[in-house]
Amino acid sequence: MTQAWRCAGLRWVGAEPVLVWESGRGSALPRGKKVAFGVVTGGVRTCVGARGHRCPTRAGVSGRSTGARCEECARLDRAHSVAADTIADDPRPYHVYLAWFGPGMVKVGITAVERGHARLWEQGAVCFSWLGRGPLMATRRAEEVLRAALSVPDRIPYADKRVVRSALPEAGERAAEVADLHARAVALDAWPESLERVPCRTVDHAEVFGLDGLPGADGVVTELVAGGTVGGTLLAAAGPDLHLATGRGVVVLDTRLMRGWELVAVEARAGKQDVLGVPVRELRSSGGGVQDGLF
């Protein structure tokens, strides 16, 4: 009987993308790897729970949901969340950063100092620079100041990020855009007093993600479905997105859509590893043994 694995999402571990399963095992995703899996026939996508706890009702969730949580678990997850701005007493030091995703696509954000670059990898930031360091509320204040004074957003949709990854300007040009905004930000009079300014030193993740020479995406998976299949060769991974070379061209799979499904391995025979049997939205015109993991 084929072993089924329930996906817990993608994590960045030491600048390497790893698919994690509810069993605790992980599947590393080096570039060039064959990624091939099927969704259990007759399966139902269930809520992944909140804050390390299972959903008490194992509620069903939409195949298009990137959160993969029912309403109650989503509420519980946000009830004690820095991202949702529902806590103010975290004593850890925080960084405020500027992250670049494409021309004119720079956002401001914060992350705990102890997390290092992890938050930037998770978001698919092509390059970034720290801007300041200090208490949580001071970094929150800096976000507000930049949004109001310089019109810098704190969110950029993944749909916008993924379509520009194959046509990025040179590293020097993207670093210059970050440096210009950094200079304007630290010069603001409303800079929080308890926030230490950090010199601009851009870090580029294009090589980490595999973006050099990346062909343009032809489509993006919109959802997984029971009995569906996904297969292709990994060209690049940025944030939660996998860029796969498939029989339908280059297709982007947002791994957040995998969470909550039971998945099984797909055999390599008959070219099945390059087959897509799930809904895909076009982005542009095309010119035996015990398994240690799903892949």
Side-chain angles (χ1 to χ4, degrees):
M1 183 176 179
T2 303
Q3 183 175 356
W5 300 73
R6 190 175 295 275
C7 185
L10 184 144
R11 295 178 188 167
W12 283 85
V13 181
E16 296 290 339
V18 177
L19 274 177
V20 179
W21 312 100
E22 283 194 355
S23 65
R25 293 185 182 274
S27 297
L29 294 172
R31 291 196 293 280
K33 186 181 184 72
K34 285 286 188 178
V35 176
F37 64 87
V39 184
V40 170
T41 300
V44 176
R45 191 186 192 196
T46 55
C47 174
V48 297
R51 311 199 67 76
H53 300 285
R54 285 197 172 200
C55 175
T57 63
R58 299 296 280 178
V61 294
S62 166
R64 292 177 177 260
S65 168
T66 54
R69 290 187 174 91
C70 66
E71 290 186 8
E72 180 63 16
C73 286
R75 183 187 67 78
L76 291 173
D77 189 64
R78 295 178 66 83
H80 190 74
S81 167
V82 171
D85 205 18
T86 54
I87 61 174
D89 57 352
D90 190 337
R92 296 177 299 172
Y94 275 76
H95 271 135
V96 57
Y97 60 81
L98 295 172
W100 187 98
F101 301 92
M105 298 167 61
V106 184
K107 63 154 281 186
V108 60
I110 68 171
T111 185
V113 169
E114 65 187 34
R115 296 205 67 208
H117 294 196
R119 184 63 179 147
L120 287 306
W121 294 325
E122 291 168 355
Q123 296 181 77
V126 180
C127 73
F128 82 97
S129 175
W130 303 127
L131 180 62
R133 173 178 170 143
L136 172 60
M137 296 313 293
T139 57
R140 277 294 188 214
R141 173 59 181 162
E143 280 190 307
E144 296 172 2
V145 168
L146 266 66
R147 287 200 300 268
L150 301 179
S151 299
V152 182
D154 62 351
R155 295 180 187 274
I156 294 178
Y158 279 103
D160 296 340
K161 298 175 188 178
R162 60 178 61 115
V163 297
V164 301
R165 289 182 186 137
S166 63
L168 298 175
E170 296 296 324
E173 185 175 336
R174 48 197 189 233
E177 189 172 345
V178 173
D180 176 69
L181 187 56
H182 186 286
R184 290 190 289 143
V186 297
L188 291 171
D189 292 335
W191 187 266
E193 291 185 4
S194 58
L195 189 66
E196 172 192 358
R197 291 173 172 82
V198 175
C200 183
R201 294 189 180 94
T202 57
V203 178
D204 201 285
H205 291 151
E207 184 175 354
V208 170
F209 296 153
L211 303 183
D212 292 336
L214 179 68
D218 300 288
V220 58
V221 174
T222 56
E223 63 179 317
L224 301 188
V225 293
T229 57
V230 173
T233 301
L234 183 63
L235 301 177
D241 290 343
L242 304 182
H243 290 247
L244 302 173
T246 76
R248 295 181 56 173
V250 178
V251 173
V252 180
L253 170 63
D254 184 338
T255 54
R256 295 175 298 175
L257 298 176
M258 298 171 64
R259 301 178 70 210
W261 284 107
E262 284 196 323
L263 309 174
V264 294
V266 170
E267 295 295 332
R269 65 179 182 272
K272 288 184 178 180
Q273 283 194 326
D274 295 322
V275 172
L276 287 174
V278 294
V280 175
R281 176 173 56 84
E282 186 176 319
L283 289 183
R284 64 176 180 82
S285 298
S286 295
V290 177
Q291 289 176 260
D292 288 329
L294 182 65
F295 307 132

